[in-house]
Amino acid sequence: MTGDIERDLDVALTSERPPADPDVAEMVDVARRLGDELAVDAPGARRERAMFVQGVAGRRRRRPPLVAIALRTAAAGVLLIAVAWVAQNAAPGQRLYPVKEALRTIGLAPSVSADFEDRVRAAGTLLEDAAAQLPFAPQRAERLSLDALGELARAQDLLDEERGPMRAQWETRIEQLERRAVTLLRLSGEEADDDSDDDSSGSGSDDDDSDDDSSGRGSDDDSDDSDDDSSGRGSDDDDDSDDDSSRRGSDDDDSDDSGSDDDDSSGRGSGGDDSDDSGGGSDDD
Amino acid sequence: MDTTTLKREVRRAAAGDERAAALLFDHFHPRVFRYALGRVRDRAAAEDVAAETFAKVLGELGRFKWRGAGFEAWLFRIASNLVVDHFRKTGREQASDDVAGRLDATEERTPEVAALAAETTTELSAMLDELAPDQREVLLLRFAGGLEPAEVGAVMGRNANAVRQLQFRALANLRRRMQQGVST
């Protein structure tokens, strides 16, 4: 504990008023004399001052501004996203494949099975669209089928990453969809040929050729039907291909009568169903 | 400079503000120099200690955190450590402390001690040298460095009350020696 006199002395040292205690007053006087003696002129120290001030300013220069930090962070982020994007399609053995695996580990990239399902689902949707477009826009159907094959190629790449029991099942699914895509490609090509043939001449002899084509298609469709059946989409495809072949049969019959494109379109409509039993049946026979 | 202003200037200097750095240097360099001169009793050495103190402050300013007694206590602790380093190199203070130790033991100034103490300094400074090291340190930090008792305590690792006691004893000793000096 500090005594009163020690505290009084401390207060008196900073006070303007002279202390009441003569002992304290004497010590205050000693302190003032000591203070005066110690208050020597300090050196200018201009060089030291300049060094200190420049050193402090150097600290500011060394520290990168916030904007630069933000820009660097943003650039790193963009680079990371770009690498992740490119790495999405990396196959095993490729340089970016470890990045893809790392992204999967931290949940930033889909798992192999999820990726595969996405690809196969996309391919299936594209093929359905292609089948729907085939009678009306064969060129679009062809493009959709090609896109579907692209998706299937990426799904095929994923097979290398699947070492489990799903591999065989995945292979089968890819195979089925590929066959269907190839069939649609061929049909769309033929359909496009038909259209151009009809457009260019409309003559009887051409119609005869198309007759042969349609009968050929009928038999092809039969084989496709069996494939499509195995893929689980048989009923739709059956209907489609049957309709296609039968319609073509009846169309050809129509074209025999008229030789016009308009008949083609009417034949694909409700009229096609009517001719299913007759024209389509005879073609297949 | 009040505490609020000092805090602001220290923060600015830490962020690289040249004006704040100049302000701190102008405010504290003379005080650090006087304190160092009071300790080392050599003008050139005191200038070196003051310059080294600010060089060290420059290097550590980014890591300085305002706590307890604040910037002044931190600054003078650096200066105090540099004085100790100086004496370690020159081996001088040991002799000075021996003188002070003999004085503390006898509380009387023998002619031999008085002659030794007055060799290079004025009378009052010589008397200061004769004090016990902690008493001398308190007086130098208080009256050359301009620190408050709490700040002196932070430099010396003692509380403010212990500093006031040391201050009282140191001034009482000086007064007695001055009276003895007048009477002899």
Side-chain angles (χ1 to χ4, degrees):
Chain A
M1 287 289 289
T2 315
D4 286 344
I5 194 165
E6 290 150 354
R7 194 173 291 278
D8 289 348
L9 173 64
D10 194 47
V11 171
L13 286 171
T14 52
S15 171
E16 296 290 317
R17 292 171 57 194
D21 188 324
D23 279 347
V24 172
E26 278 184 27
M27 282 190 273
V28 169
D29 184 54
V30 169
R32 289 203 175 124
R33 287 177 59 186
L34 178 66
D36 290 344
E37 188 157 325
L38 292 173
V40 293
D41 286 339
R46 287 171 60 186
R47 196 170 61 87
E48 287 82 0
R49 185 182 191 273
M51 282 172 63
F52 181 71
V53 171
Q54 283 169 13
V56 164
R59 289 173 53 80
R60 184 187 57 209
R61 280 196 290 273
R62 276 200 301 276
R63 204 174 72 168
L66 284 177
V67 175
I69 293 171
L71 281 175
R72 280 179 210 163
T73 308
V78 168
L79 183 66
L80 192 68
I81 290 168
V83 169
W85 182 260
V86 174
Q88 271 188 340
N89 293 323
Q94 288 183 334
R95 196 171 295 171
L96 284 177
Y97 186 70
V99 177
K100 186 180 182 179
E101 283 193 317
L103 289 172
R104 276 182 185 146
T105 307
I106 59 175
L108 286 179
S111 64
V112 178
S113 57
D115 203 3
F116 178 83
E117 289 298 336
D118 284 348
R119 303 289 183 196
V120 165
R121 195 179 303 119
T125 306
L126 286 166
L127 289 176
E128 281 173 19
D129 289 349
Q133 293 286 329
L134 182 63
F136 311 104
Q139 285 178 339
R140 178 161 167 70
E142 186 179 48
R143 191 154 48 80
L144 290 168
S145 301
L146 286 172
D147 289 347
L149 281 174
E151 291 293 337
L152 290 172
R154 291 189 195 103
Q156 184 79 41
D157 290 341
L158 293 170
L159 278 180
D160 296 335
E161 301 174 40
E162 172 59 32
R163 297 173 187 86
M166 298 297 289
R167 189 185 167 94
Q169 193 185 332
W170 285 9
E171 279 177 336
T172 308
R173 288 174 68 187
I174 291 173
E175 227 171 86
Q176 289 168 353
L177 288 169
E178 274 179 349
R179 274 204 294 268
R180 196 167 155 225
V182 168
T183 302
L184 282 166
L185 267 178
R186 187 164 38 75
L187 288 176
S188 57
E190 290 171 356
E191 195 71 26
D193 287 346
D194 281 353
D195 288 349
S196 62
D197 286 349
D198 292 345
D199 286 345
S200 62
S201 64
S203 68
S205 61
D206 283 340
D207 292 339
D208 290 341
D209 289 343
S210 65
D211 258 355
D212 295 338
D213 285 346
S214 66
S215 63
R217 266 177 230 127
S219 60
D220 282 342
D221 288 344
D222 283 344
S223 64
D224 289 340
D225 288 347
S226 62
D227 287 340
D228 292 339
D229 284 344
S230 64
S231 69
R233 295 181 34 79
S235 59
D236 286 345
D237 294 341
D238 281 350
D239 292 343
D240 288 346
S241 56
D242 281 349
D243 288 348
D244 286 344
S245 61
S246 62
R247 277 182 223 129
R248 273 178 216 113
S250 60
D251 289 348
D252 294 340
D253 291 341
D254 289 344
S255 68
D256 283 343
D257 295 339
S258 65
S260 71
D261 279 342
D262 295 338
D263 294 327
D264 266 357
S265 61
S266 64
R268 281 182 199 109
S270 58
D273 292 336
D274 296 340
S275 61
D276 237 6
D277 296 332
S278 56
S282 62
D283 281 345
D284 290 339
D285 291 336
Chain B
M1 192 185 293
D2 61 81
T3 306
T4 308
T5 308
L6 181 58
K7 274 186 180 178
R8 188 185 62 230
E9 298 305 326
V10 167
R11 195 171 53 243
R12 285 179 178 170
D17 187 326
E18 293 175 43
R19 195 199 58 80
L23 196 73
L24 291 177
F25 189 92
D26 293 343
H27 186 70
F28 286 112
H29 184 270
R31 289 163 58 180
V32 170
F33 168 76
R34 286 172 194 144
Y35 161 76
L37 183 62
R39 290 285 304 271
V40 300
R41 295 282 173 214
D42 179 89
R43 199 172 170 88
E47 286 179 17
D48 286 347
V49 167
E52 283 178 49
T53 300
F54 279 88
K56 218 162 177 82
V57 166
L58 182 63
E60 308 268 325
L61 196 56
R63 288 190 288 276
F64 170 71
K65 296 275 186 295
W66 194 289
R67 61 170 81 91
F71 180 77
E72 287 175 88
W74 178 69
L75 177 72
F76 277 90
R77 193 156 49 239
I78 291 173
S80 176
N81 289 337
L82 288 169
V83 167
V84 171
D85 288 347
H86 167 79
F87 285 132
R88 198 172 289 142
K89 284 176 202 161
T90 60
R92 240 196 62 204
E93 194 176 42
Q94 190 58 45
S96 175
D97 285 348
D98 287 347
V99 173
R102 275 149 62 189
L103 265 177
D104 282 347
T106 60
E107 291 290 331
E108 293 295 331
R109 298 180 73 202
T110 64
E112 178 203 350
V113 169
L116 183 66
E119 246 175 28
T120 56
T121 57
T122 65
E123 184 73 11
L124 196 57
S125 296
M127 290 177 190
L128 195 62
D129 277 347
E130 294 167 15
L131 293 176
D134 53 357
Q135 291 179 20
R136 188 173 64 230
E137 180 77 351
V138 165
L139 294 186
L140 287 175
L141 287 169
R142 282 286 272 146
F143 302 111
L147 302 188
E148 294 297 318
E151 294 163 343
V152 173
V155 175
M156 296 177 68
R158 296 171 186 239
N159 63 38
N161 285 338
V163 170
R164 287 190 190 99
Q165 285 176 350
L166 281 170
Q167 175 180 260
F168 181 86
R169 270 183 264 155
L171 288 174
N173 278 337
L174 273 187
R175 184 184 59 164
R176 188 171 58 251
R177 278 168 195 148
M178 285 170 74
Q179 288 167 347
Q180 287 171 352
V182 168
S183 62
T184 51

